[in-house]
Amino acid sequence: MTADLDSPLQKKIYIAGHRGMVGSSIERNLQAKGFTNIVTRTHAELDLTDQAAVQKFFAQEKLDEVYLAAAKVGGIHANNTFPAEFIYQNLMVQNNVIHQAFVHGVKKLLFLGSSCIYPKLAPQPMAEEALLTGQLEPTNEPYAIAKIAGIKMCESYNRQYGETHGIDYRSVMPTNLYGPGDNYHPENSHVIPALIRRFHEAKLANAPEVVIWGTGTPRREFLFVDDMAAASVFVMNLDKAIYDQHTQPMQSHINVGFGSDVTIAELAKAVSDAVGYQGKISFDPSKPDGSPRKWMDSGRLNRLGWNAQVGLAEGLNRAYAEFQQAIG
């Protein structure tokens, strides 16, 4: 039996950043749905900051859709230490991929941003309307500026070429993500992978106590990465009339969050439960807390018909199992 070449499952889909946590999850999601024509390139095979190389790639591949999940990412220390690299590399990747997608007839593109696009003191929960209403968090401003530029680039191409060329470029903004493919580096990881590693090592060493930085009172929202991938595919495939009905031409990005947040103390307890650490958890209030709260308003996405599926306890269990596999 021959494959139906007109089937939607035959669409040629490029995932930029397929080795990253979100990109790899999007690839798994599409494969599970039966998509068979997925295009990927490693950084060694295609440097997305190289305009000529990206132009050649798009000319050769003749793609139908693009998920733009490639980015230079890092924690506070990396953002503070390498601000020029963060703004330059992310702007170059976005400019090259979005523009060459347009030049070579790609009708649909999804750009993945970050919750750091919102002002440092944005009202909680942070709604899409908060974009460009105040100053950004200084430590990751260059990265945030690049991500804002990506949103505005998609919107600008839609406004200028949407009707004449039939393009439809969309943006999604994830909250804090965790799960398979995360970075568990002792110094450079985010809060959940850092806590998983610390509690795991404390369990192996039979340490009586684990001390967490700060007071434990700040609240954070966490989304399992497979939920983020599912939301990305959902938004990419929404009927255009419905998408347009829930967005505006110059405010078209959509937040993707879990829907509720937890304190760092509650998170630490949940991670210790997942790992099976039996000792005491204490806090060091002499260390910085960061923002008191970072919570995304996902109402727009919920009204479109999507909600997160993986709760924190289940997600942490799955993340810990993957961490154990990764370290052998």
Side-chain angles (χ1 to χ4, degrees), residues 49 54 62 66 84 89 113 121 128 188 224 226:
T49 67
V54 176
K62 299 179 171 53
V66 171
Q89 291 185 24
L121 302 177
E128 286 88 354
N188 299 333
F224 192 65
D226 289 359

Side-chain angles (χ1 to χ4, degrees), residues 99 102 152-169 249-250:
H99 182 67
F102 165 69
K152 293 302 172 186
M153 194 167 180
C154 289
E155 290 179 349
S156 299
Y157 276 61
N158 286 340
R159 288 169 58 208
Q160 186 168 344
Y161 302 118
E163 288 189 19
T164 56
H165 291 70
I167 64 165
D168 184 6
Y169 295 174
M250 294 181 70

Side-chain angles (χ1 to χ4, degrees), residues 7-13 27 29-38 65 67 233 237:
S7 164
L9 297 176
Q10 292 295 311
K11 284 189 295 191
K12 198 170 191 183
I13 303 172
E27 184 175 17
N29 184 290
L30 291 173
Q31 288 170 340
K33 285 179 166 61
F35 288 93
T36 56
N37 205 356
I38 298 172
E65 293 182 1
Y67 287 85
V233 175
N237 290 291

